[in-house]
Amino acid sequence: MATGRSTQHNPNPAAGTRRSRGRGIPDATVARLPLYLRALTALSERSVPTVSSEELAAAAGVNSAKLRKDFSYLGSYGTRGVGYDVEYLVYQISRELGLTQDWPVVIVGIGNLGHALANYGGFASRGFRVAALLDADPAITGNVVAGLPVRHTDEMEEIVRSERVSIGVITTPPGAAQQVCDRLVAAGVTSILNFAPTVLNVPDGVDVRKVDLSIELQILAFHEQRKAGDEYRDEDEGADAEAPPAPAAAVVSTPGRAVGPGRGHGHERGQEYEEAAG
Amino acid sequence: MATGRSTQHNPNPAAGTRRSRGRGIPDATVARLPLYLRALTALSERSVPTVSSEELAAAAGVNSAKLRKDFSYLGSYGTRGVGYDVEYLVYQISRELGLTQDWPVVIVGIGNLGHALANYGGFASRGFRVAALLDADPAITGNVVAGLPVRHTDEMEEIVRSERVSIGVITTPPGAAQQVCDRLVAAGVTSILNFAPTVLNVPDGVDVRKVDLSIELQILAFHEQRKAGDEYRDEDEGADAEAPPAPAAAVVSTPGRAVGPGRGHGHERGQEYEEAAG
DNA sequence: CCATCTTTGTGCACGCGTTCACAAAGACAT
DNA sequence: ATGTCTTTGTGAACGCGTGCACAAAGATGG
């Protein structure tokens, strides 16, 4: 994952000094913190004062040893023989994730998905605020979605700067994604959440996280196929290699435009993936 | 890790017997196959006959050595000195992912997100077919979304069985997710794509992949905060630990899921989505 | 103050995934 | 055929993440 983060992590040797905290928290751990936070928030609402690693781990769906190790990267916030103070941990994790501050976000591409995201309640809470909804289609701009007017992408730079937006969400058709991404980055956005089935190319220092429905489905299909065919498999394996039948579904997505001649064609560079979906 | 991978697979050791080919393809590789497939499909449409690992890797946003190793798990489909045959590879990967067959899918919870997914073009292509849209709200059932009538969840079992649905997509409010999941599994579904911010509990043999928008945003916020505060950091480190201010936005809960690791600085990673408003 | 019990924090080992680096395979030209 | 050049396929090293297992820390009771 890319935790992108421009500079790699420094191995930080200095750690020795008190709170080695904050430095070099493993990416895998960072990815789980929101999970813990959610479970802790639920406990907090039920006014549960403390929780053991075992209980919290169960609630978050992870192994308790892993949870303890994760927390150890934040510092020693637990009390042996007792567990962790819920409120305290909620605060520490929120702070570590940067949720104690306001994060203005712009959503570009107000189609079905953009619409859904704009209405998503999870945005409002936890410091994320939709600063603006943008779309390039004049037929859409002006509409009010989730209480906000959809503005034209021409205003993108202006909005990103004036609202100090550092996080952008791309829900455009694949063909427009790279261009929108470039503009967002040029305007000052340094973190992008991409829902378009496109490999985005960004300069160092910019983080991109991808969300791709079709990839998720394909991964499920793979496992599903394996479950179903585990008994009688091999048969067609031997010769399978030959005669690549014409691709069935051919058509395929690739919804938007063709390859972009404009900017480098290519694609090039870096990215990393994992799964995603389109 | 980017891992992001699904939740828990069982290692299923039995495999050992024959066919080393399709056996034991690493999860990380499986997660990238859809990515390669997408890039290859684009090349195919441009009638490009062959492609080198270097070019394809660039298009998919990965390292060429990784790509070659990934393909090596599928077999030796390349020609040294030349590269890979595009059409052939498209076929092989499609077959490996199980995309050469039909996968009926049900979407449960037709809120904003469910609506968006139902209209998502990516479904139709690549073997995935929306077999039915379900919702528990009588005010919604009966409506026609994306050309399909929304049916009541009472019909879930009946539909899953008659349509032989093995993949279910949950886009319900968090409170209903586990229950819906249980019913889907009981009816025969063995793969679930969960968009609700809830940790789903499923029996062995059932795969669950999670997509969580708020977790993705929180991870981005973490890195964003780090970028911003890299210069003047440590100061508040020492005493920070004190005074846990009351949690601000209490409500809401957000689940999450694991992530893939991935290092590389670059960018990318991802997954996730969000959930519909209740 | 001591004994006992609970739960944290972590050293250590293991396994997966990534990357390097290169021999081998094949295409092509002569 | 032979030589050269390109690109694959992979052995091996490395690093991250996971999970075990346990000593240490602190609570609790007598």
Side-chain angles (χ1 to χ4, degrees), chain A residues 140-176:
Chain A
I140 293 178
T141 57
N143 292 358
V144 173
V145 174
L148 290 170
V150 177
R151 303 171 68 176
H152 194 274
T153 46
D154 283 348
E155 304 180 73
M156 186 190 296
E157 287 75 11
E158 154 64 18
I159 293 172
V160 168
R161 294 205 176 86
S162 65
E163 299 270 2
R164 286 193 159 58
V165 175
S166 56
I167 299 177
V169 178
I170 298 177
T171 50
T172 65

Side-chain angles (χ1 to χ4, degrees), chain B residues 178-201:
Chain B
Q178 182 63 60
Q179 187 181 15
V180 165
C181 173
D182 292 342
R183 288 183 61 188
L184 284 172
V185 172
V189 165
T190 49
S191 281
I192 290 178
L193 184 50
N194 180 34
F195 288 79
T198 312
V199 173
L200 291 183
N201 222 325

Side-chain angles (χ1 to χ4, degrees), chain A residues 19-30:
Chain A
R19 281 280 182 266
S20 58
R21 239 178 51 317
R23 226 19 65 164
I25 294 179
D27 288 341
T29 293
V30 171

Side-chain angles (χ1 to χ4, degrees), chain A residues 1-2 5 21 23 35 38 88 190-191 208-212 216 224 227 234 241 271 273-275 278, chain B residues 2-4 35 88 120 190-191 209 216 224 227 230 233 237 240-241 254-255 261-262 269-273:
Chain A
M1 100 175 96
R5 201 288 185 355
R21 239 178 51 317
R23 226 19 65 164
L35 213 59
R38 185 174 288 163
Y88 187 59
T190 49
S191 282
V208 175
R209 291 190 72 81
K210 183 188 313 185
V211 175
D212 195 316
E216 293 301 321
E224 199 59 41
K227 290 178 200 164
D234 321 50
Q271 236 130 23
Y273 278 28
E274 228 207 281
E275 35 201 85
Chain B
T3 102
L35 216 55
Y88 186 60
Y120 178 51
T190 49
S191 281
R209 291 192 71 82
E216 292 303 317
E224 200 59 39
K227 289 177 202 165
D230 261 351
R233 213 179 220 347
E237 296 275 0
D240 61 24
T254 18
R269 212 235 104 190
Q271 143 165 20
E272 287 310 344
Y273 256 58

Side-chain angles (χ1 to χ4, degrees), chain B residues 3-277:
Chain B
T3 102
R5 55 268 331 26
S6 34
T7 19
Q8 64 268 16
H9 301 155
N10 325 13
N12 175 1
T17 24
R18 56 256 301 253
R19 249 315 103 223
S20 60
R21 201 75 327 134
R23 229 46 0 188
I25 294 180
D27 287 343
T29 294
V30 171
R32 281 187 293 267
L33 291 182
L35 216 55
Y36 301 144
L37 183 56
R38 185 173 290 161
L40 285 165
T41 299
L43 291 174
S44 173
E45 285 169 8
R46 289 195 295 151
S47 301
V48 175
T50 63
V51 62
S52 69
S53 63
E54 205 68 55
E55 297 169 317
L56 185 55
V62 303
N63 165 311
S64 69
K66 188 186 295 183
L67 177 145
R68 286 197 301 275
K69 179 144 290 188
D70 282 341
F71 285 175
S72 77
Y73 291 117
L74 306 183
S76 296
Y77 298 153
T79 301
R80 299 177 188 227
V82 176
Y84 300 89
D85 180 277
V86 174
E87 293 302 321
Y88 186 60
L89 210 42
V90 163
Y91 170 67
Q92 289 302 338
I93 293 179
S94 293
R95 193 174 62 83
E96 199 65 57
L97 287 174
L99 304 182
T100 52
Q101 58 186 284
D102 178 63
W103 295 106
V105 172
V106 290
I107 298 177
V108 187
I110 312 303
N112 278 305
L113 183 58
H115 209 283
L117 295 188
N119 280 300
Y120 178 51
F123 257 123
S125 63
R126 300 236 177 286
F128 299 101
R129 173 171 60 81
V130 179
L133 302 180
L134 300 169
D135 201 290
D137 186 349
I140 293 178
T141 58
N143 292 358
V144 173
V145 174
L148 289 171
V150 177
R151 303 171 68 175
H152 194 274
T153 46
D154 284 348
E155 304 180 75
M156 187 190 297
E157 288 74 12
E158 154 64 16
I159 293 171
V160 168
R161 293 204 177 85
S162 66
E163 298 270 4
R164 286 192 160 58
V165 175
S166 56
I167 299 177
V169 178
I170 297 178
T171 50
T172 66
Q178 182 63 60
Q179 187 181 15
V180 165
C181 173
D182 292 342
R183 288 183 61 188
L184 284 172
V185 172
V189 165
T190 49
S191 281
I192 290 178
L193 184 50
N194 180 34
F195 288 79
T198 312
V199 173
L200 291 183
N201 222 325
V202 298
D204 267 17
V206 176
D207 281 310
V208 176
R209 291 192 71 82
K210 183 188 312 184
V211 175
D212 195 316
L213 169 66
S214 71
I215 286 186
E216 292 303 317
L217 282 175
Q218 288 174 42
I219 293 173
L220 283 178
F222 171 83
H223 293 300
E224 200 59 39
Q225 181 184 45
R226 233 181 20 170
K227 289 177 202 165
D230 261 351
E231 308 92 50
Y232 48 4
R233 213 179 220 347
D234 316 55
E235 7 147 345
D236 59 21
E237 296 275 0
D240 61 24
E242 292 326 312
V251 193
V252 178
S253 63
T254 18
R257 92 89 99 144
V259 176
R263 62 141 18 284
H265 11 310
H267 337 104
E268 284 297 350
R269 212 235 104 190
Q271 143 165 20
E272 287 310 344
Y273 256 58
E274 64 123 30
E275 101 22 86

